[in-house]
Amino acid sequence: MLSKNQIKRIQSLARKKGRRDEGCFIAEGNKLVEDTCEAFDCELLLATHRWVEAHPARPDRPVQEVTEQEMAKVSQLTTPSDVLAVYRIPRYRLDVEAMRHELVLALDTVQDPGNLGTIVRLADWFGIRHIVCSPETADLYNPKVVQATMGALSRVRLYYTPLAEFLGAMERASVYGTFLDGTDIYHTPLSNHGVIVMGNEGSGISPELEPYIGTRLYIPNYPAGQPTSESLNVAVAAAITCAEFRRRQIM
């Protein structure tokens, strides 16, 4: 049985302040927990009797059995799952020197949890292991973001730091950004490594970051010149951009 203090503590992890104070976050659902349990330090694993029966006990993963009613009290899902994990938030060191030799994403105030989760997932798909975020970017450990990553947060590391400082430490020529007045991405030389900057959903890349961007990229609409949407969703734009970078590497 869950105590009132346990319930209150787990519920607090839905809020950024609670996660900061406790140093923990939650992951819910069988697939998500299975995909992340080896990557993070699990402080508490809650499961219903149905889940416990279907999953053999493991000495390295003690389970606290709860009722469906108790799970509903701590779940952040519309339909509570049969398993919920409380993980310690990991601390990663930002190694700029190592990143000079990789393809890295930088997110400038991407605030929608669904967009952030989707970008983490596509980074995982395209083999991008590091995402550097401005402090104003949505919190990776927000339950909505965690859910949207579909387990990819166990393989992609995120860092929160002022982007101007980070980009300033990188070589300007290897920093790319997406703009409506950039050059056609399909006819622009692209490096095998560097930083791809994606901007805010409404205002794009911050003016203070533009001086650090060596190549301004544009994703053209089709057919050219035809009236179309004002811009692409940031997660969609990130997917197209990452796909083009990776396509060049295998040509």
Side-chain angles (χ1 to χ4, degrees):
M1 176 179 288
L2 285 174
S3 68
K4 290 183 178 180
N5 284 340
Q6 282 181 306
I7 293 173
K8 184 178 179 180
R9 178 172 181 255
I10 297 170
Q11 289 174 338
S12 76
L13 300 181
R15 301 182 295 277
K16 189 172 184 177
K17 182 180 184 302
R19 293 190 294 275
R20 184 175 62 247
D21 291 346
E22 296 290 339
C24 294
F25 72 100
I26 60 175
E28 297 187 65
N30 185 51
K31 186 178 187 308
L32 184 55
V33 170
E34 287 296 325
D35 284 351
T36 55
C37 65
E38 303 297 336
F40 301 104
D41 179 11
C42 185
E43 189 171 286
L44 182 65
L45 188 63
L46 305 179
T48 63
H49 182 69
R50 177 169 53 236
W51 191 92
V52 172
E53 279 195 324
H55 296 79
R58 286 173 42 176
D60 63 325
R61 196 169 65 178
V63 180
Q64 181 172 342
E65 189 171 326
V66 297
T67 66
E68 292 183 6
Q69 291 73 24
E70 288 176 315
M71 187 67 84
K73 290 181 180 179
V74 296
S75 174
Q76 294 300 308
L77 302 179
T78 303
T79 302
S81 66
D82 285 325
V83 61
L84 179 151
V86 176
Y87 295 129
R88 298 296 304 175
I89 294 176
R91 304 299 178 190
Y92 302 126
R93 184 177 69 86
L94 182 62
D95 188 344
V96 174
E97 193 58 39
M99 290 184 184
R100 292 182 190 277
H101 309 288
E102 299 186 38
L103 190 61
V104 177
L105 277 175
L107 306 183
D108 179 18
T109 320
V110 173
Q111 297 179 316
D112 181 79
N115 282 338
L116 178 58
T118 300
I119 290 172
V120 174
R121 189 177 176 186
L122 71 88
D124 183 36
W125 182 263
F126 287 114
I128 296 171
R129 296 301 169 216
H130 304 282
I131 300 178
V132 183
C133 306
S134 67
E136 300 79 20
T137 294
D139 180 14
L140 171 65
Y141 301 107
N142 178 318
K144 292 181 180 178
V145 179
V146 172
Q147 208 69 29
T149 69
M150 298 293 287
L153 81 166
S154 64
R155 293 175 291 274
V156 179
R157 293 187 174 187
L158 268 70
Y159 313 82
Y160 289 81
T161 191
L163 288 186
E165 294 179 16
F166 169 69
L167 296 179
M170 302 293 287
E171 294 185 12
R172 183 176 182 275
S174 63
V175 178
Y176 302 83
T178 53
F179 297 87
L180 293 177
D181 63 350
T183 59
D184 187 333
I185 188 173
Y186 301 116
H187 297 93
T188 302
L190 303 175
S191 172
N192 290 341
H193 57 271
V195 182
I196 303 170
V197 183
M198 304 303 301
N200 173 263
E201 289 89 345
S203 54
I205 294 173
S206 304
E208 68 169 4
L209 299 183
E210 292 191 33
Y212 300 98
I213 296 173
T215 305
R216 299 166 69 96
L217 300 173
Y218 169 64
I219 301 171
N221 66 306
Y222 182 86
Q226 177 172 297
T228 185
S229 300
E230 183 180 352
S231 63
L232 290 171
N233 168 277
V234 64
V236 173
I240 295 171
T241 304
C242 292
E244 183 60 14
F245 269 81
R246 290 311 196 201
R247 185 185 73 84
R248 301 287 184 90
Q249 289 185 249
I250 62 176
M251 286 178 62

